[in-house]
Amino acid sequence: MAKKTKQIAIYGKGGIGKSTTTSNISAALAEAGYKVMQFGCDPKADSTNTLRGGDYIPTVLDLLHANSSVDAHDAIFKGFGGIYCVEAGGPQPGVGCAGRGIISAVQLLKQQDIFEELDLDFVIFDVLGDVVCGGFAVPVREGIAEHVFTISSSDFMAIYAANNLFRGIQTYSNKGGALLGGVIANSINTDFHHEIIDDFVGRTATQVVEYVPRSVTVTQAELSGRTTIEAAPKSEQASIYRRLATRIAEHTQSKVPTPLGQQELREWSASWADRLIEAENQRERAIQVA
Amino acid sequence: MTLIDHASIKPAAAPAKTNSIEQIRYGCAIGAQQTVAAIPRAIPITHCGPGCTDKQFMNLSFYNGFQGGGYGGGAVIPSTNASEREVIFGGGERLDELIDAALKILDADLFVVLTGCISDLVGDDIGGVVSPYQKRGVPIVYAETGGFRGNNFTGHELVTRAIIDQHVGPYEGTRDADLVNVWSLLPYHNTFWRGDLTEIKRVLEGVGLRVNILFGPESKGISEWKAIPKAAFNIVLGPWLGVATARHLEAKYGQPFLHVPALPIGANATTAFLRQVLAFAGRKRRSARAEAFIAEEEARYYKYLEDFSDFYAEYWWGLPAKFAVVGDATYNLALTNFLVNQLGLIPGKQIITDNPPEEFRAGIVEHYRHIADDVSTDVEFEEDSYTIHQKLRATDFGHKAPIIFGTTWERDLAKELKGAIVEVGFPTSYEVVLSRSYVGYRGALTLLEKIYTTTVGASA
């Protein structure tokens, strides 16, 4: 009997480190012996770059644009640790409908039973920031991913994006959609960052899966076109990514989050802003006294 | 003795507004492809999913009087047949390819690109595709007519405006005091538009005007459209359609307009209409030619009416007394006016089905309130046939069978009410209509023939 493929979607605001984190999770899972596919759902089509030495691969939509019928195998490329890399791709900026593109790309692979055929343990969808339209909600909807994780820093804009995603999950939660596994807290270096993100997950009835600090090791690895797992396997950062990957692999129970309302979110961020300013003032006074 | 439960036999109360429409009474905005097809030697190019173009044509033209495709409509219309590919990557390139190909094999004085829902939702830059052709001097314009923008009446005004703004263009020259533009019935949607526009043009020419009728067999086509700014004024003949266009022309060319809400049927209304137009044209002194024309038309009309009066007086026992009209605002008001004022019939129920803009509704209601010196009636706005039929069932038509002026959708209902049906609007699927007209002097006589042939024929 074929094993059940665990399908995971990772969302987050643009530039928050989504593709970096996703690629490191994929790399860590592959290293642990799992069969993994990473599926980039962003028209920029750069999700899997660090799994393939910095190379771009032809996208599903590139192939659909050029051909009337497409063999999905032509859109699958092997990367680090045998990870199957796929990029949905999209139209040129400002033209057409990228959301529909994501839908078509995902459907193409599903229609051709690729996940079953490759006998995958994990499919990880790396999805562009905000859930702006139905297309970007595809991995959340029925029959695609079962668990959604969101990457967020303690930055308010990132938290807004996460909260929007929670609303999307809530919308589809009673229609068989994916549920929330938790928040991957990225660029968390100070106690203050910890407190903000902990407060947010507390209020929205979810959890932090792992705190990932900002690290120059990651930047160096990226510049060499590799993941941290590949470029600096013995680093502290690599061990954090491995721990994160293990938690995701072991994760079974996802939940419906309780997103904050628009006004609630504004008030919440304003109260944290006040505390930030107060802390900053205290620090300055301390310096003056010294 | 059985007790009768009166509550159970009362006519059903008017149903609540539904959120659905069964048995449609208009097309969607891209149905304005028929507006283009109504202009001699103009050809629509549609950028939409497969099926839209054919469906609009079959609805508005075929199963509505079997009007045919014409020079550039029906099966001629080139369409991108946009598919998933055009959704994802945008359909601009495909449209460009289609326009290029259409120019090679189709001969037209004007091409009009109409977009459907796909293109309008995805946000294709149609102006960007069409403007290079315009710069090359190709006679082509575009209108964004995605279905969600409204019905084919909306589409008609969008297309009309596109042609005026993108093809007719600015005008600084002089005006021709004898030339008028007419904005009236919606081509194809109104089953009798060809005959009616012909009659409207005929009577206006009869009193000494020259007419840009713009649509149909009597139009000279694009040269007429180019002459729009030269006209002394615009005539909007109908309760609302065309007013937006006339306002636009007023702003663009400083061209005044005369709004006559009731399309005239019969000598009384037609003569009044012509005198109103002549007064607006500033012809204070009655021209001998205009008066001679009116006198001649009236003489002929009343001669036939005199002959008809024998029948009308003697056959009273077999003729309907109360009527209902279900149709677009233009025909609805025109017919109600004629039936009340000329035939002395009693209005039972009037329902307007073309969803007129809110700003016109109160004014339209006022016309019905003062339909005659001694008759006041009401009018309702409703688009869903289920609701319309429920309202007709609940109407008290008295002890005689009613006559219903409606559409094919009212056929079964007319049988149920044991009444007569005259199909006068979209869809008219049980009439073959060529040049027939129901307006003006001549059309009114045809309408009388139709009404009373239907009535006496029912007893055979």
Side-chain angles (χ1 to χ4, degrees):
Chain A
M1 200 182 104
K3 65 187 164 197
K4 174 134 175 50
T5 307
K6 196 165 186 176
Q7 300 191 42
I8 288 160
I10 297 181
Y11 280 80
K13 178 183 168 290
I16 205 70
K18 214 165 39 259
S19 297
T20 304
T21 311
T22 307
S23 298
N24 275 297
I25 294 168
S26 294
L29 289 170
E31 202 185 49
Y34 293 112
K35 293 179 87 174
V36 181
M37 173 183 281
Q38 182 165 322
F39 197 128
C41 295
D42 185 328
K44 289 202 306 296
D46 57 1
S47 169
T48 59
N49 281 18
T50 54
L51 294 172
R52 290 187 39 86
D55 279 354
Y56 280 85
I57 57 173
T59 70
V60 178
L61 292 176
D62 285 341
L63 295 168
L64 277 170
H65 195 203
N67 309 285
S68 54
S69 73
V70 170
D71 181 343
H73 295 92
D74 295 340
I76 302 169
F77 297 83
K78 276 202 174 180
F80 170 79
I83 295 168
Y84 297 103
C85 301
V86 179
E87 295 283 355
Q92 63 184 95
V95 177
C97 179
R100 184 67 221 177
I102 304 284
I103 297 173
S104 302
V106 174
Q107 276 178 353
L108 183 84
L109 267 74
K110 281 184 71 87
Q111 276 161 5
Q112 298 186 16
D113 298 326
I114 296 295
F115 303 155
E116 294 81 356
E117 183 198 308
L118 294 178
D119 196 28
L120 297 171
D121 295 301
F122 291 94
V123 178
I124 306 181
F125 296 92
D126 174 13
V127 194
L128 168 119
D130 288 312
V131 188
V132 287
C133 72
F136 295 98
V138 160
V140 178
R141 276 148 53 180
E142 189 179 8
I144 313 281
E146 309 125 286
H147 307 285
V148 177
F149 294 90
T150 181
I151 302 187
S152 179
S153 67
S154 62
D155 183 71
F156 291 124
M157 293 318 288
I159 288 175
Y160 281 179
N163 194 62
N164 268 345
L165 173 71
F166 292 0
R167 287 163 70 176
I169 292 171
Q170 202 181 33
T171 302
Y172 290 108
S173 63
N174 58 358
K175 298 168 191 157
L179 301 182
L180 185 68
V183 174
I184 300 164
N186 202 29
S187 305
I188 303 297
N189 290 50
T190 68
D191 289 348
F192 224 95
H193 294 155
H194 263 272
E195 283 177 50
I196 293 176
I197 206 87
D198 285 348
D199 189 21
F200 175 68
V201 297
R203 282 166 192 270
T204 51
T206 182
Q207 56 169 348
V208 172
V209 191
E210 184 59 73
Y211 300 92
V212 182
R214 181 182 285 281
S215 157
V216 75
T217 316
V218 179
T219 317
Q220 283 167 341
E222 296 253 305
L223 288 171
S224 71
R226 290 175 294 172
T227 58
T228 307
I229 298 284
E230 185 184 1
K234 295 197 164 67
S235 63
E236 170 59 19
Q237 194 76 7
S239 65
I240 295 171
Y241 283 131
R242 283 191 194 102
R243 203 162 64 215
L244 170 61
T246 308
R247 292 219 168 121
I248 287 176
E250 287 168 355
H251 176 86
T252 52
Q253 240 10 55
S254 286
K255 291 178 187 162
V256 183
T258 57
L260 300 174
Q262 201 78 275
Q263 190 57 32
E264 225 181 332
L265 189 62
R266 277 189 205 132
E267 284 164 11
W268 177 81
S269 55
S271 75
W272 271 102
D274 291 345
R275 287 172 62 183
L276 270 169
I277 291 163
E278 180 53 33
E280 189 64 19
N281 289 345
Q282 272 179 11
R283 202 172 60 86
E284 272 183 26
R285 277 198 293 274
I287 291 166
Q288 278 165 7
V289 169
Chain B
M1 194 179 128
T2 317
L3 282 172
I4 296 169
D5 176 9
H6 287 277
S8 70
I9 57 167
K10 265 198 292 193
K17 184 96 181 156
T18 61
N19 61 0
S20 57
I21 290 179
E22 71 166 39
Q23 298 177 326
I24 49 149
R25 290 162 190 274
Y26 44 64
C28 74
I30 203 171
Q33 64 183 42
Q34 296 305 119
T35 295
V36 182
I39 302 170
R41 287 185 50 79
I43 298 181
I45 294 175
T46 55
H47 177 30
C48 55
C52 296
T53 304
D54 183 61
K55 196 154 191 148
Q56 294 297 323
F57 163 66
M58 291 304 279
N59 267 284
L60 296 168
S61 178
F62 191 79
Y63 290 112
N64 184 33
F66 307 97
Q67 302 177 59
Y71 178 79
V76 175
I77 303 176
S79 175
T80 54
N81 288 333
S83 63
E84 185 156 34
R85 186 189 172 83
E86 280 71 36
V87 176
I88 298 168
F89 300 105
E93 283 174 27
R94 173 86 186 104
L95 176 62
D96 191 33
E97 191 179 78
L98 180 72
I99 294 171
D100 195 47
L103 292 176
K104 287 186 184 128
I105 59 165
L106 294 173
D107 177 25
D109 292 341
L110 180 69
F111 291 96
V112 179
V113 175
L114 297 102
T115 57
C117 301
I118 291 177
S119 165
D120 286 9
L121 276 170
V122 172
D124 284 344
D125 179 13
I126 306 303
V129 175
V130 171
S131 66
Y133 290 96
Q134 293 174 329
K135 285 186 187 129
R136 267 168 45 196
V138 175
I140 186 168
V141 303
Y142 73 96
E144 291 178 348
T145 49
F148 54 86
R149 287 170 190 259
N151 63 18
N152 54 322
F153 289 76
T154 308
H156 173 75
E157 302 232 59
L158 289 169
V159 163
T160 303
R161 183 154 177 165
I163 300 174
I164 292 165
D165 289 349
Q166 297 169 43
H167 194 67
V168 178
Y171 179 77
E172 299 292 342
T174 53
R175 294 242 183 78
D176 180 340
D178 291 334
L179 186 64
V180 295
N181 305 316
V182 172
W183 305 98
S184 185
L185 296 165
L186 181 57
Y188 286 96
H189 185 273
N190 181 292
T191 327
F192 306 92
W193 68 283
R194 288 176 295 185
D196 288 351
L197 293 186
T198 300
E199 175 69 355
I200 292 164
K201 183 174 156 101
R202 187 186 73 84
V203 300
L204 287 169
E205 285 180 344
V207 295
L209 295 167
R210 281 180 297 109
V211 181
N212 288 328
I213 198 72
L214 304 167
F215 301 102
E218 298 307 313
S219 166
K220 290 195 269 304
I222 295 307
S223 65
E224 228 178 44
W225 283 74
K226 282 281 193 188
I228 285 173
K230 291 182 186 153
F233 60 96
N234 291 287
I235 300 173
V236 178
L237 196 43
W240 70 272
L241 185 70
V243 172
T245 302
R247 283 180 186 154
H248 181 58
L249 291 169
E250 188 174 49
K252 193 178 176 81
Y253 303 124
Q255 208 170 32
F257 71 92
L258 170 66
H259 183 195
V260 181
L263 180 66
I265 303 179
N268 217 2
T270 309
T271 298
F273 162 66
L274 291 174
R275 294 233 162 92
Q276 195 181 352
V277 171
L278 290 170
F280 191 82
R283 315 223 169 155
K284 294 202 177 78
R285 213 156 40 85
R286 286 190 170 181
S287 90
R289 179 184 167 179
E291 288 306 317
F293 174 79
I294 289 171
E296 197 181 316
E297 288 294 321
E298 289 198 341
R300 186 182 298 112
Y301 178 84
Y302 286 114
K303 172 71 187 83
Y304 281 115
L305 217 61
E306 187 187 330
D307 297 342
F308 167 75
S309 64
D310 277 2
F311 159 82
Y312 202 49
E314 287 299 318
Y315 215 91
W316 58 269
W317 44 269
L319 303 182
K322 283 187 112 176
F323 70 92
V325 189
V326 182
D328 62 89
T330 306
Y331 246 41
N332 199 314
L333 178 59
L335 285 165
T336 305
N337 216 1
F338 177 72
L339 299 170
V340 170
N341 285 292
Q342 293 287 292
L343 294 178
L345 298 184
I346 302 161
K349 179 66 78 184
Q350 282 70 234
I351 301 174
I352 286 175
T353 56
D354 56 349
N355 191 22
E358 275 302 326
E359 66 158 307
F360 295 103
R361 293 194 176 192
I364 292 171
V365 170
E366 274 307 295
H367 287 294
Y368 287 81
R369 294 260 159 81
H370 305 100
I371 200 76
D373 291 342
D374 53 353
V375 182
S376 175
T377 185
D378 216 338
V379 66
E380 293 173 56
F381 300 92
E382 183 57 60
E383 298 142 68
D384 168 33
S385 296
Y386 170 79
T387 310
I388 289 167
H389 295 169
Q390 289 294 85
K391 286 182 178 201
L392 289 173
R393 284 188 184 100
T395 302
D396 176 12
F397 288 107
H399 66 281
K400 278 179 127 180
I403 181 161
I404 295 169
F405 295 84
T407 71
T408 296
W409 301 138
E410 279 68 65
R411 283 220 161 244
D412 287 345
L413 185 82
K415 277 183 203 156
E416 185 185 315
L417 300 176
K418 296 184 171 55
I421 172 93
V422 177
E423 294 188 24
V424 290
F426 172 81
T428 289
S429 306
Y430 294 96
E431 296 258 351
V432 175
V433 180
L434 299 174
S435 66
R436 201 186 328 161
S437 166
Y438 286 157
V439 309
Y441 297 108
R442 291 183 178 174
L445 298 175
T446 310
L447 178 62
L448 286 177
E449 289 173 339
K450 176 67 192 174
I451 295 171
Y452 292 102
T453 300
T454 304
T455 327
V456 296
S459 61

